[in-house]
């Protein structure tokens, strides 16, 4: 069975959401955030100290976008994959990686210098600059989402899960009010999905059952 190590609202929500959309059984192991600090044995699970860490038999993976790709192609019957012969393949790969490399990266700096560093090391200028960086990258999606319901292929794919997680993190760190209308509507559509709601419920129930706070450590305000 697949085992997924997860922290509430962390990037490991991407594979969790994928697993719920696909409907494959899995074990969800919750950790307080940051796991390398809160649980010294976690480095034996993932020497990087980060989540996600996903194990599927002999397969061990630690990159959330790659895990989404892996799950989408391995369980292609769930319809979340786009194959190389599909005209949407380029967009699929591009936005699958855009979600992490371009959208989540600036949010990491917002979090670090607005939330996780001790007060005396916080940098409001960095927080505002990288918030704007994130929002300007997000704006590149706006014209596309004015025309289309999903990122590519006319249906939900792993690329939506990757980008959708960046929107979830943005809402946790207080940037949602600055979304433009088409992105805001897309984010509402994603949250209305049963798979998304099952993933949210699974996260909450596993956190409570395993004695971990269900509140996101990265919540601002
Ligand atoms: N590129 C990796 C980044 C993984 C990552 O940095 N995860 C964060 C949670 S969102 C983490 O575990 N941070 C804890 C730490 O750095 O100690 C991915 O997409 O999975």
């Amino acid at each position: 069975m697949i085992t997924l190590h997860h922290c509430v609202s962390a990037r490991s929500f991407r594979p969790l959401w994928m697993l719920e959309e696909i409907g494959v059984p899995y074990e969800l192991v919750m950790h307080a955030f940051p796991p390398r600090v809160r649980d010294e044995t976690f480095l034996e699970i993932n020497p990087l100290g980060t989540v996600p860490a996903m194990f599927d038999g002999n397969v061990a993976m630690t990159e959330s976008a790659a895990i989404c790709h892996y799950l989408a192609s391995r369980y292609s019957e769930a319809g979340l994959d786009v194959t190389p012969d599909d005209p949407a393949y380029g967009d699929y790969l591009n936005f699958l990686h855009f979600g992490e490399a371009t959208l989540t990266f600036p949010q990491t700096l917002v979090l670090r210098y607005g939330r996780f560093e001790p007060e005396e090391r916080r940098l409001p200028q960095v927080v505002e600059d990288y918030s704007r960086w994130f929002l300007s990258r997000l704006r590149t999606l706006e014209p596309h989402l004015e025309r289309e319901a999903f990122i590519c292929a006319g249906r939900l794919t792993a690329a939506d899960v990757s980008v959708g997680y960046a929107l979830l993190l943005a809402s946790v760190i207080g940037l949602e009010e600055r979304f433009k209308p088409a992105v805001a509507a897309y984010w509402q559509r994603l949250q209305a999905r049963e798979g998304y709601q099952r993933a949210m419920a699974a996260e909450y129930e596993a956190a409570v059952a395993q004695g971990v706070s269900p509140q996101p450590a990265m919540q601002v305000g």
Side-chain angles (χ1 to χ4, degrees), residues 123-169:
L123 298 170
Q125 188 67 55
V126 169
V127 171
E128 183 50 26
D129 288 353
Y130 283 89
S131 296
R132 282 178 194 225
W133 174 333
F134 166 73
L135 291 162
S136 66
R137 296 302 184 271
L138 205 55
R139 275 197 283 279
T140 63
L141 290 177
E142 191 70 13
H144 175 76
L145 291 170
E146 282 167 359
R147 296 187 308 271
E148 303 285 338
F150 296 103
I151 289 290
C152 66
R155 59 187 163 84
L156 186 96
T157 69
D160 294 286
V161 170
S162 179
V163 170
Y165 168 71
L167 302 181
L168 166 63
L169 183 58

Side-chain angles (χ1 to χ4, degrees), residues 10-11 14 33-36 49-52 62-65 100 165:
R11 287 167 173 91
R14 286 189 177 113
F33 187 87
R36 75 189 144 79
T50 53
V51 288
T62 58
E63 285 293 330
S64 60
E100 172 58 14
Y165 168 71

Side-chain angles (χ1 to χ4, degrees), residues 18-213:
M18 288 291 296
L19 288 163
E20 285 294 343
E21 291 282 353
I22 291 168
V24 69
Y26 62 90
E27 180 195 13
L28 187 60
V29 183
M30 301 299 300
H31 299 271
F33 187 87
R36 75 189 144 79
V37 174
R38 305 290 294 273
D39 175 3
E40 59 196 28
T41 65
F42 187 69
L43 291 177
E44 290 161 26
I45 295 164
N46 177 12
L48 289 170
T50 53
V51 288
M54 189 210 70
F55 300 89
D56 183 13
N58 291 329
V59 174
M61 298 181 73
T62 58
E63 285 293 330
S64 60
I67 299 171
C68 291
H69 196 173
Y70 172 87
L71 292 172
S73 49
R74 239 185 118 82
Y75 299 95
S76 56
E77 63 281 7
L80 300 173
D81 194 22
V82 178
T83 49
D85 56 332
D86 190 311
Y89 186 60
D91 278 348
Y92 172 66
L93 290 184
N94 196 53
F95 286 105
L96 183 59
H97 294 281
F98 175 86
E100 172 58 14
T102 297
L103 290 184
T104 318
F105 156 69
Q107 293 178 289
T108 306
L109 291 166
V110 172
L111 264 172
R112 175 164 183 182
Y113 291 104
R115 171 90 178 86
F116 289 131
E117 285 288 339
E119 290 282 353
E120 66 279 9
R121 281 184 48 84
R122 294 207 183 154
L123 298 170
Q125 188 67 55
V126 169
V127 171
E128 183 50 26
D129 288 353
Y130 283 89
S131 296
R132 282 178 194 225
W133 174 333
F134 166 73
L135 291 162
S136 66
R137 296 302 184 271
L138 205 55
R139 275 197 283 279
T140 63
L141 290 177
E142 191 70 13
H144 175 76
L145 291 170
E146 282 167 359
R147 296 187 308 271
E148 303 285 338
F150 296 103
I151 289 290
C152 66
R155 59 187 163 84
L156 186 96
T157 69
D160 294 286
V161 170
S162 179
V163 170
Y165 168 71
L167 302 181
L168 166 63
L169 183 58
S171 74
V172 169
I173 67 176
L175 294 175
E176 185 176 354
E177 308 87 75
R178 293 163 76 179
F179 290 176
K180 296 284 181 200
V183 167
Y186 170 66
W187 174 222
Q188 293 302 319
R189 282 197 296 284
L190 292 180
Q191 290 175 91
R193 291 191 64 84
E194 287 181 9
Y196 175 90
Q197 290 174 9
R198 281 196 302 270
M200 276 287 173
E203 172 183 83
Y204 181 85
E205 283 160 24
V208 170
Q210 295 174 35
V212 169
S213 169

